[in-house]
């Protein structure tokens, strides 16, 4: 099951490493990770997507709260939310194929952000499926390069993400791993 966490952390050096380390130590693969400034100064917002069951999600949430720099953790997978990805795709074009590619860009409500004699750079936002579909129809023309952000998520409605969860809410015993050493 794909689980999406929204994690607010202090905007300090090394925080991203510590958060990623929580996932690594528990052998969870991060499917997607986006980080940027939040609405409050000094706070960063992370959207982390992991393939795990409910038990694993609760365990990760409890372990994230153990980190000093983590301010808040929300699991919004089952909440009404908006999910978006952003992608930049560079596609090879010729004088003959340029119009065809631009028609495809319109169909997907994407836009051309750079034009060169032999290529176009296309910007698209939307669901992961929408971006995958555009890439598949562009592939025969020659996808030269692609950059994707990963999932961004926000709960629907006027209130900010309000799923209040604290360590006390999590009915799960988390083993103390402070005495465990790991070798690389």
């Amino acid at each position: 099951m794909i689980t999406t966490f929204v994690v607010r952390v202090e905007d300090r050096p090394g925080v991203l490493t510590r958060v990623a380390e929580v996932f690594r130590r528990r052998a969870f693969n991060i499917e997607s990770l986006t980080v940027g400034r939040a609405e409050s100064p000094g706070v960063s917002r992370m959207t982390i997507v992991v393939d795990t069951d409910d038990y694993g999600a609760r365990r990760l949430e409890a372990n994230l709260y153990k980190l000093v720099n983590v301010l808040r953790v929300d699991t919004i997978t089952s909440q009404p939310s908006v999910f978006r990805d952003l992608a930049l795709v560079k596609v090879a074009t010729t004088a003959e194929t340029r119009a065809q590619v631009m028609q495809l860009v319109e169909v997907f409500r994407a836009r051309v952000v750079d034009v060169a004699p032999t290529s176009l750079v296309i910007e698209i936002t939307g669901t992961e499926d929408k971006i995958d579909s555009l890439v598949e129809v562009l592939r025969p023309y020659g996808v030269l390069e692609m950059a994707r952000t990963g999932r961004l998520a926000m709960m629907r409605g006027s209130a900010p993400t309000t799923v209040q969860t604290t360590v006390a809410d999590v009915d799960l015993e988390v083993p103390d791993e402070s005495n465990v050493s790991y070798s690389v």
Side-chain angles (χ1 to χ4, degrees), residues 4-163:
T4 304
F5 295 99
V6 173
V7 183
R8 287 186 174 80
V9 298
E10 294 175 345
D11 187 15
R12 293 179 178 233
V15 173
L16 174 61
T17 302
R18 286 190 282 278
V19 169
E21 187 69 18
V22 167
F23 289 84
R24 187 199 64 81
R25 269 193 248 139
R26 279 128 194 105
F28 287 97
N29 185 37
I30 295 175
E31 303 280 331
S32 170
L33 170 66
T34 56
V35 183
R37 292 187 186 132
E39 64 280 357
S40 304
V43 176
S44 292
R45 179 185 173 117
M46 298 180 173
T47 304
I48 305 171
V49 179
V50 178
D51 187 5
T52 184
D53 59 9
D54 191 45
Y55 175 77
R58 291 175 24 186
R59 205 172 101 203
L60 282 169
E61 186 175 337
N63 281 285
L64 286 169
Y65 271 117
K66 285 181 162 183
L67 299 176
V68 173
N69 303 107
V70 171
L71 304 173
R72 183 173 164 163
V73 179
D74 296 310
T75 307
I76 64 168
T77 305
S78 60
Q79 305 296 320
S81 305
V82 176
F83 300 104
R84 291 290 183 267
D85 284 23
L86 167 71
L88 294 174
V89 184
K90 186 181 291 182
V91 183
T93 59
T94 62
E96 296 81 33
T97 61
R98 185 177 307 266
Q100 295 170 356
V101 171
M102 293 185 84
Q103 285 179 334
L104 291 171
V105 167
E106 285 184 33
V107 168
F108 282 88
R109 296 183 186 168
R111 64 186 192 140
V112 175
V113 292
D114 184 61
V115 178
T118 59
S119 67
L120 296 173
V121 176
I122 299 164
E123 173 190 281
I124 181 170
T125 58
T127 64
E128 189 175 344
D129 291 341
K130 178 183 174 183
I131 294 171
D132 289 343
S133 298
L134 176 64
V135 170
E136 283 309 309
V137 298
L138 293 175
R139 200 169 297 282
Y141 297 97
V143 174
L144 303 173
E145 191 176 349
M146 182 170 64
R148 294 178 74 152
T149 60
R151 180 182 283 186
L152 282 173
M154 184 172 285
M155 289 183 57
R156 291 185 181 271
S158 59
T161 303
T162 58
V163 178

